[in-house]
Amino acid sequence: MHFKWNIEQASEIEKKQAQELSEKLSMSPILTLQLIRRGITTESAAKRFFRPQLNDLINPFLMKDMDLAVDRLNDAIGRKERIMVYGDYDVDGCTAVALVFRFLQQFYSNIDYYIPDRYDEGYGVSRKGVEFAKAQGVSLIIILDCGIKAYDEIAYAKELGIDFIICDHHMPDEKMPPAVAILNPKRPDDSYPFKHLCGCGVGFKFMQAFAKNNGIPFSRLIPLLDLCAISIAADLVQVTDENRILAYHGLKQINQAPSVGVQAIMEACNLADREITMSDIIFKIGPRINASGRIENGKVSVDLLVEKDIHKALALAKHINEYNEQRKDIDKQITEEANSIAAKWTSEQHTSSIVIYDENWNKGVIGIVASRLTEIHFRPTVVLTRDGDFATGSARSVSGFDVYEAIKSCRDMLINFGGHTYACGLTIKWSDVETFKKRFMDYVDSHIKPMQTEHILNVDAEIDFSDINPRMYHDLKRFSPFGPGNKKPLFATKNVYDFGTSKVVGREQEHIKLELVDSKSPSVMNGIAFGQSASARYIKSRRSFDIAYTLEENIYKRGNIQLQIEDIHHDSAQ
């Protein structure tokens, strides 16, 4: 696949601002332009951006119901009630449960945690989970990364004498559950200034408020920031403002003093001897934490994240690594099947969305499959599978299109749904699948803009190889942590040539390892183009071509800069 490139040209005002900031910061104007585009126009603002401070975290009591949540937790501890920390089975839910449990366990022992079984109970609060809590003598449940739509289940728990404190970040309905406190910055009546916390982030704010109320030093929370960073990266929330502070210091914690469980996962991923980045979390650490919930039960991941003994942690990490290998096999098979259907459908129908289903697909991986199809076909995608009389599925979207609203437009036939702009989960009757498919696709057809289904690559700047040097790369690293809202700058260089040593690599010869030169620099730049071996023959012909890429460190040659090539344009592809 080749993308259409949108190379953002700097205005004269931006060029002037970038040059002025460049002189103040002693930084390349290529990079100061990226600061300007992030709204950072002064030296002091740049210093705050590059050195996020924990002191700048928002007062947690600005979140609606925070005082009620802290009072109820204090009462429970004072009365020695049994407390359950309950969470979703994905990375965000598991890290949130581990964070809250680990922090409270330092001060209170009558506490346990619970992760519902994806296959037996489904998403969120289940009656089975509530009844289990009742049987265990639980009178307070702190629920994380779900619960905002569990009106009936929480009402049922209330009848049984169990109170709920909800810590969620998904979109609420107009009617909210009868919980004693609902912590969710997306509540329409909540004036909390940052709306993009993940579930683990909301849990952290709750613990921050609890600590503040009880005179517990903030320093006791710092060891838990590694869990925040993992959750922020894996849940793909905005890496701006408060999330940037939490992710920055969370990565620092991971690299300097990770918790035992995180350390064990790093060993399982072969990451123990290198600096961990957000990309490492997204592609290696996160999938392993997710894997136990996809294959069996997410509680295994929480067991690992709360473990204090390194030997036990390493055994658990090995276990979830095996789950991840199983997950990859299932994922690959279903993705191939789904993509075969989707490719045929899109070529015949020319639709602006995809809805596909199969009653035999494993529901533990359909979210991943939906993501893959969205990346391949660049259309909002829903993937469904059968669960008894119901169809359960996941939706993913393209940049700028609100798939949550598209799903919500069909709510009269939805048994359950929840999520946010770019990702949703849903349950409908199996008999309603075709009706849902038509209504969803009609909604997308009438609301999506043509440019939202184009394969567009937004390039931040066109540069020459002579612009790339160790100082520039060092300064670029200071922009991290990267993620939505703070994407890693994407550069383009035109008229580059193979140095004569580029070659196809990979188990299936699917990647290209490149050594390139351009006409303006004597330097030879190393690069890797994953999954782009179709361009190898053209590259070896020694004709010029254009590349779009990010700058990375070569992990095999410390200190060496490598181009990670996202797209290649040449005469036969343009």
Side-chain angles (χ1 to χ4, degrees):
M1 179 195 299
H2 292 281
F3 293 86
K4 178 181 177 181
W5 295 1
N6 174 32
I7 301 178
E8 193 168 355
Q9 302 297 329
S11 68
E12 291 305 314
I13 293 174
E14 285 179 328
K15 288 178 184 177
K16 183 181 178 185
Q17 289 177 318
Q19 189 58 48
E20 289 173 354
L21 198 55
S22 169
E23 291 166 6
K24 290 175 183 175
L25 298 175
S26 299
M27 181 181 288
S28 166
I30 294 167
L31 297 184
T32 54
L33 175 62
Q34 306 313 312
L35 290 175
I36 300 298
R37 287 175 174 166
R38 285 162 171 77
I40 300 163
T41 58
T42 65
E43 185 178 2
S44 59
K47 287 178 178 176
R48 286 196 302 276
F49 177 76
F50 289 135
R51 291 193 291 273
Q53 299 297 310
L54 289 169
N55 288 338
D56 290 332
L57 288 173
I58 300 166
N59 178 356
F61 284 100
L62 292 179
M63 192 177 294
K64 189 168 179 62
D65 280 5
M66 187 63 81
D67 53 344
L68 298 177
V70 171
D71 287 347
R72 181 64 185 89
L73 179 55
N74 283 336
D75 288 346
I77 292 173
R79 294 196 292 253
K80 295 183 169 50
E81 297 177 47
R82 185 149 183 77
I83 299 170
M84 175 183 282
V85 185
Y86 188 127
D88 189 20
Y89 36 63
D90 69 359
V91 178
D92 193 12
C94 289
T95 53
V97 167
L99 185 150
V100 171
F101 178 79
R102 276 173 50 191
F103 187 69
L104 291 179
Q105 194 187 38
Q106 299 174 80
F107 315 104
Y108 189 66
S109 60
N110 195 13
I111 184 170
D112 204 351
Y113 55 88
Y114 185 89
I115 303 291
D117 186 286
R118 183 193 293 263
Y119 299 96
D120 185 37
E121 298 170 74
Y123 170 79
V125 186
S126 69
R127 287 177 75 94
K128 180 178 178 180
V130 169
E131 288 164 359
F132 176 80
K134 179 64 177 176
Q136 297 295 308
V138 169
S139 54
L140 176 63
I141 294 177
I142 300 169
I143 186 154
L144 297 133
D145 192 35
C146 54
I148 197 64
K149 293 194 172 186
Y151 186 93
D152 292 340
E153 293 81 4
I154 291 176
Y156 176 60
K158 192 173 181 180
E159 290 175 9
L160 298 180
I162 300 173
D163 284 339
F164 266 78
I165 295 172
I166 297 173
C167 302
D168 205 349
H169 70 122
H170 296 101
M171 294 297 294
D173 276 337
E174 291 177 13
K175 185 180 179 182
M176 288 191 286
V180 295
I182 299 175
L183 307 178
N184 186 336
K186 290 192 176 75
R187 285 179 62 165
D189 57 348
D190 193 336
S191 58
Y192 192 75
F194 184 65
K195 302 296 182 184
H196 302 290
L197 291 169
C198 56
C200 187
V202 178
F204 179 86
K205 298 306 293 187
F206 183 20
M207 294 301 96
Q208 183 189 0
F210 174 78
K212 188 173 184 178
N213 181 261
N214 287 279
I216 300 167
F218 182 84
S219 59
R220 300 287 291 270
L221 286 159
I222 291 175
L224 301 167
L225 288 171
D226 56 355
L227 297 173
C228 283
I230 290 169
S231 182
I232 288 165
D235 217 50
L236 298 175
V237 291
Q238 294 278 310
V239 188
T240 57
D241 301 319
E242 191 160 40
N243 278 345
R244 179 172 172 80
I245 298 171
L246 293 171
Y248 177 90
H249 288 278
L251 281 173
K252 188 175 177 183
Q253 191 69 25
I254 290 173
N255 285 299
Q256 293 180 1
S259 61
V260 168
V262 173
Q263 183 182 343
I265 299 173
M266 288 161 58
E267 293 277 356
C269 301
N270 298 315
L271 293 174
D273 297 322
R274 50 177 281 198
E275 183 181 2
I276 305 300
T277 66
M278 297 290 268
S279 292
D280 293 321
I281 295 171
I282 292 168
F283 295 111
K284 295 191 175 181
I285 294 173
R288 283 164 172 80
I289 296 173
N290 252 334
S292 64
R294 295 189 186 282
I295 301 300
E296 193 171 299
N297 189 293
K299 186 175 182 294
V300 179
S301 289
V302 182
D303 293 342
L304 169 59
L305 294 172
V306 303
E307 183 55 62
K308 297 174 184 175
D309 182 283
I310 187 61
H311 300 293
K312 292 179 182 177
L314 288 169
L316 284 168
K318 183 180 178 184
H319 199 36
I320 68 168
N321 206 37
E322 291 166 356
Y323 281 144
N324 193 49
E325 290 304 312
Q326 292 178 49
R327 187 274 305 167
K328 285 195 284 189
D329 290 341
I330 297 168
D331 165 16
K332 185 181 179 198
Q333 176 194 337
I334 296 176
T335 297
E336 287 174 355
E337 290 176 14
N339 188 44
S340 176
I341 298 167
K344 186 173 185 292
W345 174 260
T346 54
S347 65
E348 291 176 356
Q349 304 295 325
H350 304 292
T351 58
S352 53
S353 64
I354 296 169
V355 180
I356 58 174
Y357 54 92
D358 187 295
E359 62 181 32
N360 297 313
W361 287 341
N362 183 305
K363 71 176 182 177
V365 302
I366 53 177
I368 300 173
V369 174
S371 293
R372 300 230 198 284
L373 295 185
T374 304
E375 291 167 6
I376 294 167
H377 300 283
F378 220 70
R379 290 167 168 80
T381 299
V382 179
V383 180
L384 299 160
T385 188
R386 189 164 188 166
D387 186 7
D389 293 332
F390 300 101
T392 184
S394 291
R396 296 293 184 269
S397 195
V398 293
S399 180
F401 184 78
D402 192 337
V403 77
Y404 179 87
E405 287 299 320
I407 298 290
K408 188 178 176 182
S409 73
C410 307
R411 69 173 308 155
D412 57 295
M413 66 174 63
L414 299 173
I415 306 298
N416 193 13
F417 82 107
H420 43 80
T421 304
Y422 294 117
C424 285
L426 66 148
T427 303
I428 58 176
K429 290 180 181 177
W430 183 256
S431 57
D432 286 340
V433 167
E434 277 297 324
T435 305
F436 167 80
K437 176 179 178 178
K438 183 178 187 312
R439 282 180 52 184
F440 175 85
M441 296 179 79
D442 286 347
Y443 179 95
V444 177
D445 284 343
S446 62
H447 287 79
I448 201 163
K449 297 172 184 174
M451 63 180 294
Q452 290 174 334
T453 58
E454 291 181 358
H455 297 84
I456 295 175
L457 207 58
N458 290 310
V459 177
D460 293 287
E462 185 179 333
I463 65 174
D464 300 318
F465 287 167
S466 57
D467 295 315
I468 303 169
N469 55 56
R471 174 63 188 272
M472 183 225 188
Y473 182 69
H474 173 267
D475 288 338
L476 177 63
K477 285 179 69 176
R478 296 170 67 195
F479 281 69
S480 66
F482 295 109
N486 185 42
K487 293 275 183 76
K488 183 175 289 187
L490 185 68
F491 302 113
T493 301
K494 295 186 174 179
N495 296 316
V496 303
Y497 299 83
D498 176 27
F499 185 62
T501 47
S502 298
K503 59 184 178 181
V504 175
V505 296
R507 186 181 300 173
E508 298 176 13
Q509 300 286 284
E510 68 271 40
H511 315 308
I512 317 174
K513 189 174 184 299
L514 296 149
E515 291 188 336
L516 303 173
V517 292
D518 70 1
S519 59
K520 299 180 181 178
S521 169
S523 304
V524 178
M525 296 298 302
N526 293 310
I528 183 76
F530 293 112
Q532 298 185 61
S533 58
S535 293
R537 180 175 293 181
Y538 184 95
I539 289 167
K540 295 298 287 182
S541 73
R542 305 298 291 272
R543 288 177 284 175
S544 72
F545 54 97
D546 306 335
I547 55 173
Y549 56 90
T550 58
L551 295 176
E552 313 290 340
E553 183 175 17
N554 188 326
I555 60 172
Y556 302 107
K557 296 179 181 178
R558 289 280 177 88
N560 283 21
I561 301 168
Q562 177 175 271
L563 313 180
Q564 183 160 314
I565 297 167
E566 301 297 323
D567 198 29
I568 300 169
H569 275 192
H570 48 77
D571 287 343
S572 60
Q574 290 174 333

